[in-house]
């Protein structure tokens, strides 16, 4: 996906992709000690997290990233990884836009193709991001054999 976005650094997008939901790890550590709760898809998972934990996985991810002293660009990637769904492209710092969009699209496609846990909802990127994909569409990405192959390889991993 990163190769389809001009000026996107695939290595940085991949690293941000590895860390973007790290805050969920923090929640996983405390979930066993609190009452179970059902996610209401209509309210969305960020509101659910805030109501249940008093913060979102983004906040938790930022705490972990600061503790681990991760590079600023990775920390900002964690902070902005949901922004493409809710804001115009200009709301994301210019030096980070392409990588954040790549991570967002990868997450969106993984959810759509049934290989991502966590967020069951999908929100398309804000229309202002369309100019960042001049040579492809989301449908093209979803149907790309290389992307489907990579997602299939991930699904085959045993942990």
């Amino acid at each position: 996906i990163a190769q389809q976005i001009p000026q996107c650094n695939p290595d940085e997008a991949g690293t941000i992709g590895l860390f973007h939901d790290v805050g969920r790890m923090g929640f996983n550590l405390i979930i066993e000690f609190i009452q179970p709760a059902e996610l209401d898809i209509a309210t969305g998972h960020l509101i659910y997290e805030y109501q249940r934990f008093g913060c979102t996985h983004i906040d938790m991810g930022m705490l972990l990233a600061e503790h681990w002293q991760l590079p600023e660009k990775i920390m900002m990637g964690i902070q902005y990884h949901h922004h493409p769904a809710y804001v115009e492209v200009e709301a994301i710092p210019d030096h980070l836009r392409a990588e954040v969009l790549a991570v967002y699209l990868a997450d969106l496609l993984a959810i759509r193709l049934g290989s991502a846990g966590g967020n069951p909802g999908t929100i398309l990127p804000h229309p202002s991001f369309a100019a960042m994909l001049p040579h492809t569409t989301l449908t093209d990405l979803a149907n790309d054999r290389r992307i489907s192959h990579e997602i299939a390889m991930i699904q085959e991993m045993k942990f």
Side-chain angles (χ1 to χ4, degrees), residues 59-138:
D59 303 318
M60 181 75 77
M62 292 298 291
L63 288 172
L64 290 170
E66 287 177 24
H67 178 72
W68 294 331
Q69 299 177 357
L70 294 179
E72 181 181 350
K73 192 163 187 178
I74 295 171
M75 290 178 61
M76 292 178 76
I78 293 168
Q79 181 179 358
Y80 288 101
H81 78 270
H82 282 288
H83 278 52
Y86 302 106
V87 299
E88 293 187 15
V89 69
E90 292 80 20
I92 298 172
D94 186 45
H95 73 284
L96 189 67
R97 287 179 191 154
E99 291 78 16
V100 167
L101 179 61
V103 169
Y104 186 79
L105 293 177
D107 199 27
L108 182 70
L109 289 175
I111 292 166
R112 286 275 173 131
L113 297 173
S115 67
N119 178 14
T122 55
I123 300 173
L124 293 176
H126 188 277
S128 63
F129 284 87
M132 292 183 68
L133 291 170
H135 306 294
T136 193
T137 66
L138 292 178

Side-chain angles (χ1 to χ4, degrees), residues 19-98:
F19 282 100
H20 79 283
D21 274 343
V22 71
R24 291 180 190 264
M25 283 178 27
F27 289 156
N28 289 341
L29 294 173
I30 60 174
I31 279 178
E32 66 181 278
F33 301 108
I34 62 175
Q35 291 289 83
E38 291 292 320
L39 168 65
D40 178 6
I41 295 174
T43 30
H45 71 285
L46 293 175
I47 292 172
Y48 163 82
E49 290 173 354
Y50 189 79
Q51 289 172 342
R52 186 152 189 229
F53 303 108
C55 64
T56 68
H57 71 280
I58 297 167
D59 303 318
M60 181 75 77
M62 292 298 291
L63 288 172
L64 290 170
E66 287 177 24
H67 178 72
W68 294 331
Q69 299 177 357
L70 294 179
E72 181 181 350
K73 192 163 187 178
I74 295 171
M75 290 178 61
M76 292 178 76
I78 293 168
Q79 181 179 358
Y80 288 101
H81 78 270
H82 282 288
H83 278 52
Y86 302 106
V87 299
E88 293 187 15
V89 69
E90 292 80 20
I92 298 172
D94 186 45
H95 73 284
L96 189 67
R97 287 179 191 154

Side-chain angles (χ1 to χ4, degrees), residues 1 106 109-111 113-116 141-142 145-157:
I1 292 171
L109 289 175
I111 292 166
L113 297 173
S115 67
L141 292 174
R145 286 178 175 265
R146 295 170 296 167
I147 293 169
S148 298
H149 177 71
E150 287 186 35
I151 290 175
M153 287 183 358
I154 292 167
Q155 288 175 324
E156 294 298 317
M157 288 181 175

